Amino acid sequence: MRSLLCLVLCAFCLPPLCVSAQSPLPLTTGMDIHASTRFRPGTYTFAADDKGAIRVTGKGFTLDFKGVELIGKERKGVGLALSHAENITIKNLRVSRFLWGVRLEHCKGVTFIDCTSSFNGDLTPGSVIDESGTQPE
């Protein structure tokens, strides 16, 4: 009986052997993201500033926007802003109607897979970004 009690107590103390899939999170304006995240599908319309409707910093994670459409109001602000981000993968992002659909500052190793940025007020084709981090030329 004593060994059965010990076995039952140990079973409750050990971490589970199977891990459930992460539940998708709804997007909220001004959301700061620092770890792998899957987002709840839907259309999200945000009024954004230059800091970004969604802000990403950190290292070594994946963001999955499958089924998400991120739409800006009045073509102002930034949809997805990455700053000081490294080895980040962005999947399935659809962003439109911001001044800047996606902005990267001081980033390296950022990968975009199956993403679309359209109808933003971005730079015209052929524009060059000044790598000093100041203004576009």
Side-chain angles (χ1 to χ4, degrees), residues 100-135:
W100 298 86
V102 178
R103 184 182 68 207
L104 287 79
E105 293 180 317
H106 308 287
C107 297
K108 54 184 175 176
V110 176
T111 303
F112 291 90
I113 300 172
D114 295 328
C115 296
T116 303
S117 178
S118 61
F119 301 106
N120 295 294
D122 294 337
L123 297 173
T124 58
S127 297
V128 176
I129 301 295
D130 180 353
E131 293 184 17
S132 70
T134 55
Q135 295 294 320

